[in-house]
Amino acid sequence: MDRLSGLDASFLYLETPEQLMHVCALFVLDPSTMPEPYSFRRLQQQIEDAVSDVPTFTRKLRRVPLGLDHPIWVRDARFDIERHVHRLAVPPPGGYEELTALTAHLAGLPLDRSRPLWEMWVIEGYADEDGEKVVVFSKMHHATVDGVSGSNLVSALCSLSPTDPPLRLEEVGTHGREPGRRELLGRAVLTNLTRPVAAARLVQPTTQMITRTVARARAGTAMAAPLTAPRTSFNGTITGHRSIGFLDLDLEEVRAVKNATGTTVNDVVLAIAGGALRAYLAEHDDLPEESLLATVPVSVHASTRHSTGANKVSALFTKLATHLDDPLERLADLAERNRHAKEHQQAISADALQDWAEFAAPRTFGLAVRAYAGLGLADRLPVAHNLVISNVPGPPIPLYLAGARIQALYPLGPVFHGAGLNVTVLSNAGRLHVGVIACRESVPDPDVLVGHFPNELARLRAAVEAQPV
């Protein structure tokens, strides 16, 4: 039986019509590398061939009777690729503005929970400065993937050359056994009876963790605390409308700043994001005096003791130093804070979030989320964090999807009530692909925000070069 972990299931319970919990990605494909001329039917068939024996793409949810336990995954015996891979075209002139408007609309549509929780939209008619492209806009529910597992799933579709088969970095799995209703109910009752014992086992390590955190806070080496973020225009109750922006940065330029300053690529990326946010908020007369606070997801795939579940993540909170105008001062401040935050995060059990998520009651959790949204509490309560920023390592070499070179891959995470902006950066073959998604009412012009990213990188490079040797 393939039961969802508590953390995976939590993304189902967090979902509301406005707070959709799927992860999106925008693939820009160069069809000129395809061995045969582009055809939607051929592309659809190749995707079907690649995913038909990968359970993540062919399983669906089955609820436990009375909602007594987290759902389980079962094979979709009526799996049909035509319900998952669709065809669209951008309206003329088929440029950046038309593409972002269309994909933002698609991002605001919920996934059908009666089927496997993913879909792809093949978008034709888009053209950039290099000519016509084919765009694939994918959506996968967060209950099925996190950053690392999502990257691994891409390998089920991609290859190293136009004629190679998909990489398949992981072994093809098998579907779990589908139990009967009586067995599901019995297991759920047993799980609920043993939960007090499981909770008691977590009390001591959690108490120790809190004690260590207090000690770090007194020593000034703790990560930034949630609920201390200043309020901005994108920190309130969100709607179901989305806005999207994207662009590329040169990874070598980022590495040059990293090498010259003794920092990390992640430090530089966060410093660039902090500068871009500072410039954007200043233009909108919305820049707070205090620094913005970001949640940065951290993969614990390498350190967790859990072998099941798609989401193996923790998180750290970091100040983006948006109160500082000087780019080098911002980078130095961020680097020091990140060092403390990483040490603090590593001192916390890799399984803490997953262990406590097991106690998320389906009905209670869902009602609480809906009450939080319906009462507009995100507009009244202290701001937990301003936004989510992810930096995902991608392939260092070019990849191909159905023979078409992936020219760009822009990741787009979910947005939340209280934090209606998500910035995700993915490295790919010498480029950094920056994807921004937001609640449209909160950030109607994400293209303006992403437009500040290259400006901030240029400011950093200039500041580094101006330093005395």
Side-chain angles (χ1 to χ4, degrees), residues 128-143:
D128 59 16
E129 62 274 10
D130 298 321
E132 277 201 32
K133 300 293 184 292
V134 174
V135 173
V136 175
F137 186 73
S138 73
K139 297 163 59 176
M140 295 198 75
H141 202 282
H142 220 318

Side-chain angles (χ1 to χ4, degrees), residues 317-346:
F317 296 92
T318 189
K319 297 278 189 179
L320 295 177
T322 52
H323 63 297
L324 298 174
D325 179 56
D326 185 277
L328 280 182
E329 287 184 22
R330 185 184 312 113
L331 177 57
D333 185 90
L334 261 166
E336 183 178 5
R337 289 180 181 275
N338 283 345
R339 181 170 56 83
H340 291 318
K342 288 174 186 175
E343 291 172 355
H344 188 177
Q345 189 270 330
Q346 289 169 359

Side-chain angles (χ1 to χ4, degrees), residues 29 38 87 90 92 98-99 107 111 126 138 180 189 197 291 319-320 357 362-363 369 373 393 400 408 431-432 437 453:
L29 307 180
Y38 164 76
R87 185 183 191 183
V90 289
E98 290 76 25
L99 180 62
L111 291 166
Y126 172 67
S138 73
V189 170
V197 177
S291 171
K319 297 278 189 179
L320 295 177
R363 293 183 181 277
V369 171
Y400 297 81
R431 305 293 293 171
L432 283 178
I437 185 169
F453 274 71

Side-chain angles (χ1 to χ4, degrees), residues 7 10-12 14-16 18-25 107-109 111 137-147 234 238-244 295 297 311 313 385-390 392 410-424 435-440:
L7 187 54
S10 295
F11 287 106
L12 296 174
L14 279 169
E15 192 161 59
T16 70
E18 300 79 27
Q19 184 171 274
L20 298 173
M21 289 290 104
H22 48 245
V23 179
C24 304
L109 301 177
L111 291 166
F137 186 73
S138 73
K139 297 163 59 176
M140 295 198 75
H141 202 282
H142 220 318
T144 68
V145 292
D146 62 11
F234 43 82
I238 62 174
T239 71
H241 302 141
R242 296 292 176 264
S243 57
I244 285 175
T295 296
N311 285 274
V313 294
H385 62 140
N386 295 110
L387 72 157
V388 176
I389 299 183
S390 299
V392 182
Y410 303 103
L412 303 160
V415 295
F416 303 87
H417 290 296
L421 174 64
N422 184 299
V423 179
T424 308
V436 171
I437 185 169
C439 166
R440 190 174 71 196

Side-chain angles (χ1 to χ4, degrees), residues 131-404:
E132 277 201 32
K133 300 293 184 292
V134 174
V135 173
V136 175
F137 186 73
S138 73
K139 297 163 59 176
M140 295 198 75
H141 202 282
H142 220 318
T144 68
V145 292
D146 62 11
V148 171
S149 58
S151 296
N152 290 339
L153 277 177
V154 171
S155 69
L157 301 170
C158 298
S159 60
L160 296 177
S161 81
T163 55
D164 284 343
L167 291 169
R168 291 292 173 88
L169 298 180
E170 294 185 346
E171 292 184 8
V172 175
T174 57
H175 289 276
R177 179 180 58 85
E178 185 171 352
R181 178 182 173 87
R182 185 174 298 178
E183 180 182 349
L184 272 181
L185 189 58
R187 285 179 177 272
V189 170
L190 182 61
T191 297
N192 280 277
L193 289 175
T194 57
R195 272 184 176 155
V197 177
R201 290 173 180 166
L202 295 177
V203 172
Q204 182 179 358
T206 301
T207 302
Q208 293 173 342
M209 178 189 71
I210 294 172
T211 301
R212 290 193 295 267
T213 296
V214 171
R216 281 182 174 273
R218 288 174 176 170
T221 59
M223 73 173 75
L227 300 173
T228 60
R231 186 172 294 279
T232 72
S233 57
F234 43 82
N235 299 124
T237 302
I238 62 174
T239 71
H241 302 141
R242 296 292 176 264
S243 57
I244 285 175
F246 59 84
L247 60 61
D248 293 347
L249 297 175
D250 189 332
L251 180 56
E252 286 308 311
E253 289 190 24
V254 172
R255 285 175 174 161
V257 173
K258 182 260 296 186
N259 294 335
T261 56
T263 56
T264 68
V265 167
N266 192 55
D267 293 335
V268 179
V269 167
L270 290 176
I272 292 170
L277 286 160
R278 174 184 168 85
Y280 176 83
L281 290 171
E283 288 177 350
H284 290 72
D285 197 25
D286 193 30
L287 178 64
E289 294 183 1
E290 301 172 61
S291 171
L292 298 190
L293 176 66
T295 296
V296 182
V298 177
S299 170
V300 296
H301 279 256
S303 53
T304 179
R305 70 175 187 277
H306 294 288
S307 59
T308 59
N311 285 274
K312 296 180 174 67
V313 294
S314 181
L316 59 83
F317 296 92
T318 189
K319 297 278 189 179
L320 295 177
T322 52
H323 63 297
L324 298 174
D325 179 56
D326 185 277
L328 280 182
E329 287 184 22
R330 185 184 312 113
L331 177 57
D333 185 90
L334 261 166
E336 183 178 5
R337 289 180 181 275
N338 283 345
R339 181 170 56 83
H340 291 318
K342 288 174 186 175
E343 291 172 355
H344 188 177
Q345 189 270 330
Q346 289 169 359
I348 299 172
S349 168
D351 298 313
L353 183 58
Q354 296 175 80
D355 289 339
W356 280 109
E358 286 298 322
F359 301 97
R363 293 183 181 277
T364 305
F365 205 89
L367 287 172
V369 171
R370 282 163 175 74
Y372 182 81
L375 296 173
L377 296 182
D379 300 307
R380 307 176 191 176
L381 298 178
V383 178
H385 62 140
N386 295 110
L387 72 157
V388 176
I389 299 183
S390 299
N391 184 14
V392 182
I397 56 177
L399 292 181
Y400 297 81
L401 175 59

